[in-house]
Amino acid sequence: MPFDEPPFFGPPSGRRYAHLLRPVATLIDAILAARDRTEDRFRGNGCWRRMLALGTMLAGLAGVPIVSLIAYRVNGRYFPGMASIFGGFLQSLLILRMAGPAIYADWLCMGLCDILIGGVLIFDSGLSGGLSLAAFGLCFALSSLARIWIGLTYRIANAFTWMGSSGLAGLFLLAWFLVVLLSTNDIGLELPMAADLVLRADLTLRGVALMGFGLSLRNRDD
């Protein structure tokens, strides 16, 4: 009786894994297309000065809690999120001024997310509701991802060195905050203050990133 050889299994076909690589290829194509669209951004006279001023204001707003102190003295309460709201309005207004008449959706996303985060903390400072915590985390993540997207899609002025790294730092701060929040049993944890401090740290890092980005724009225009 002849002995049948076992079937030979060759290397897996590349088609089997093509569907796994398709989203990566789509993302790369989107980044390359966005780089072509954003190449002419911030080329106006004085754009680098406005960007530098914006970064300075954000860092100062986060580091010196004047708004919170004034609100505390008037109402006897601490209002977390005020720096985030004012910072979001500053970003949105100045970016609209620099971009006009165009609209930079990715840049505006940062400002709008800051306004929403601050609003969540004002209405539910303890993030006691599941929806409030989810909204806080989602808006924080979107703001960080918007910075990473800007860093990847703006090929000039060391964008990823400044904006991309700021977004990565924001994701790290969010992950750290959620891990501590969900794992701690310390009832003495001042959650409103802790959430506001995380926002202030992110706002400070973003201000530094915008200052560096503005200086890079100046070097590009020279």
Side-chain angles (χ1 to χ4, degrees):
M1 181 176 180
F3 178 76
D4 293 334
E5 295 183 357
F8 174 74
F9 295 96
S13 174
R15 296 179 180 178
R16 187 180 305 175
Y17 303 100
H19 67 283
L20 299 177
L21 298 178
R22 191 173 297 115
V24 177
T26 302
L27 177 61
I28 293 175
D29 291 340
I31 291 174
L32 294 178
R35 283 191 166 194
D36 294 334
R37 293 195 304 268
T38 61
E39 187 174 2
D40 293 330
R41 286 183 175 181
F42 305 118
R43 287 190 176 275
N45 294 329
C47 276
W48 73 269
R49 294 186 180 89
R50 296 189 182 99
M51 192 68 70
L52 182 63
L54 175 59
T56 304
M57 286 186 287
L58 290 183
L61 184 61
V64 184
I66 298 176
V67 176
S68 296
L69 290 176
I70 293 175
Y72 179 78
R73 288 181 180 277
V74 173
N75 300 302
R77 293 182 56 193
Y78 177 75
F79 289 94
M82 293 299 293
S84 183
I85 291 177
F86 278 85
F89 275 114
L90 278 175
Q91 291 174 86
S92 301
L93 292 176
L94 287 181
I95 291 300
L96 286 173
R97 176 67 179 82
M98 286 186 282
I103 296 177
Y104 299 163
D106 45 2
W107 285 85
L108 289 178
C109 178
M110 291 191 297
L112 294 177
C113 285
D114 285 340
I115 295 172
L116 291 175
I117 291 173
V120 168
L121 286 180
I122 286 179
F123 288 105
D124 186 4
S125 59
L127 298 177
S128 56
L131 185 59
S132 298
L133 180 59
F136 177 88
L138 178 61
C139 292
F140 204 129
L142 285 176
S143 174
S144 301
L145 291 174
R147 280 172 270 166
I148 295 175
W149 175 258
I150 291 170
L152 290 173
T153 56
Y154 194 68
R155 70 179 73 188
I156 306 173
N158 300 325
F160 192 81
T161 302
W162 295 107
M163 301 303 299
S165 60
S166 172
L168 292 175
L171 290 179
F172 172 80
L173 287 172
L174 175 61
W176 173 83
F177 174 75
L178 292 178
V179 168
V180 172
L181 175 63
L182 298 176
S183 62
T184 186
N185 294 320
D186 183 8
I187 59 175
L189 177 66
E190 293 289 343
L191 186 56
M193 183 74 73
D196 196 42
L197 288 176
V198 170
L199 289 179
R200 290 182 187 279
D202 181 63
L203 204 60
T204 301
L205 293 174
R206 191 185 321 173
V208 173
L210 288 172
M211 286 188 282
F213 181 69
L215 292 175
S216 297
L217 288 175
R218 181 194 62 178
N219 297 333
R220 179 201 65 179
D221 294 336
D222 288 344

